[in-house]
Amino acid sequence: MLSDLLANNKRWADRMETQHPGFFKELAAQQKPEYLWIGCSDSRVPANEIVGLMPGELFVHRNIANMVLHTDLNCISVLHYAVEVLQVKHIIVCGHYGCGGVRAALGRQDLGLIDNWLRHLKDIGFRERDLLSAESDPDRRVDRLCELNVRYQVDNICHTKVVQKAWQRGQQLAVHGWIYSIEDGVIKDLNVDIDSYRDLPEIYCLEEV
Ligand code: CO
């Protein structure tokens, strides 16, 4: 029941205020998160909860299959605000195994409007077809593309002007790729961290001025 949610909220707010007097007043005055989280909209991957962070500690953007597309004004605006105004120190792309978006992208069904969004995943699937076809189990193939997708989105973040200008200014900023398992609640670090534009392909690198 919807009214239960509001009752839950009241209890939660009371409990927070009891445990941390002045908590909301302090938060209302400013937010200073050190992390930007880019994750999947999937209800089983609640950002703050799985990394044990409080309100105010994690700036969050979620969409289907945790993608960062340079034509997505929503995502790029979040990135811009997080880097330039909040000055987050870490950007975490967190995918998850068994992602429905990734699974759909490997299929051939007509799913309507969402096919245009999933098309970007198909492009990764096509580019990485040799790696993917090496997986004979269909579920393993989905999981492999979930991992590859995170790596591509980490690259996409590093290819944005927002992030490259921050690095040029000498701002401390690192981009990380993680993947979460819905089956056991554990996050795996994919070790694809990037913290400068030095190793990026030249065509994506912003000219230094
Ligand atoms: Co998902």
Side-chain angles (χ1 to χ4, degrees), residues 194-205:
I194 303 179
D195 62 5
S196 81
Y197 60 67
R198 277 190 305 273
D199 301 322
L200 299 180
E202 195 185 353
I203 194 165
Y204 294 115
C205 280

Side-chain angles (χ1 to χ4, degrees), residues 25 56 87 98 122 141 147 158 182 185 196:
K25 212 170 171 201
Q87 308 230 327
K122 270 193 194 294
R141 205 172 305 140
E147 290 174 346
C158 297
I182 286 170
S196 81

Side-chain angles (χ1 to χ4, degrees), residues 112-161:
L113 182 67
I114 197 175
D115 286 334
N116 298 286
W117 183 257
L118 299 180
R119 166 58 201 278
H120 298 281
L121 284 162
K122 270 193 194 294
D123 290 343
I124 300 171
F126 181 68
R127 227 173 300 166
E128 302 291 347
R129 58 192 176 281
D130 293 342
L131 274 176
L132 292 176
S133 56
E135 300 283 0
S136 52
D137 177 55
D139 290 334
R140 281 288 308 145
R141 205 172 305 140
V142 170
D143 288 348
R144 193 81 185 94
L145 184 53
C146 290
E147 290 174 346
L148 289 165
N149 178 42
V150 169
R151 212 189 68 206
Y152 274 78
Q153 303 316 320
V154 165
D155 287 345
N156 283 348
I157 290 172
C158 297
H159 296 164
T160 62
K161 276 200 230 175

Side-chain angles (χ1 to χ4, degrees), residues 56-178:
E57 294 183 318
L58 193 63
F59 201 61
V60 173
H61 180 76
R62 291 168 68 181
N63 61 35
I64 291 170
N66 42 270
M67 281 194 277
V68 180
L69 309 180
H70 62 277
T71 49
D72 177 5
L73 285 182
N74 184 353
C75 181
I76 298 300
S77 301
V78 168
L79 185 66
H80 183 267
Y81 188 77
V83 171
E84 294 201 358
V85 181
L86 299 174
Q87 308 230 327
V88 296
K89 294 189 172 66
H90 302 275
I91 301 172
I92 299 155
V93 179
C94 188
H96 67 100
Y97 290 122
C99 181
V102 172
R103 190 180 300 278
L106 282 171
R108 295 167 58 203
Q109 252 186 303
D110 178 358
L111 300 172
L113 182 67
I114 197 175
D115 286 334
N116 298 286
W117 183 257
L118 299 180
R119 166 58 201 278
H120 298 281
L121 284 162
K122 270 193 194 294
D123 290 343
I124 300 171
F126 181 68
R127 227 173 300 166
E128 302 291 347
R129 58 192 176 281
D130 293 342
L131 274 176
L132 292 176
S133 56
E135 300 283 0
S136 52
D137 177 55
D139 290 334
R140 281 288 308 145
R141 205 172 305 140
V142 170
D143 288 348
R144 193 81 185 94
L145 184 53
C146 290
E147 290 174 346
L148 289 165
N149 178 42
V150 169
R151 212 189 68 206
Y152 274 78
Q153 303 316 320
V154 165
D155 287 345
N156 283 348
I157 290 172
C158 297
H159 296 164
T160 62
K161 276 200 230 175
V162 172
V163 167
Q164 295 194 13
K165 279 183 178 169
W167 282 331
Q168 287 185 359
R169 285 194 299 269
Q171 192 174 323
Q172 182 199 335
L173 180 64
V175 186
H176 315 273
W178 294 353

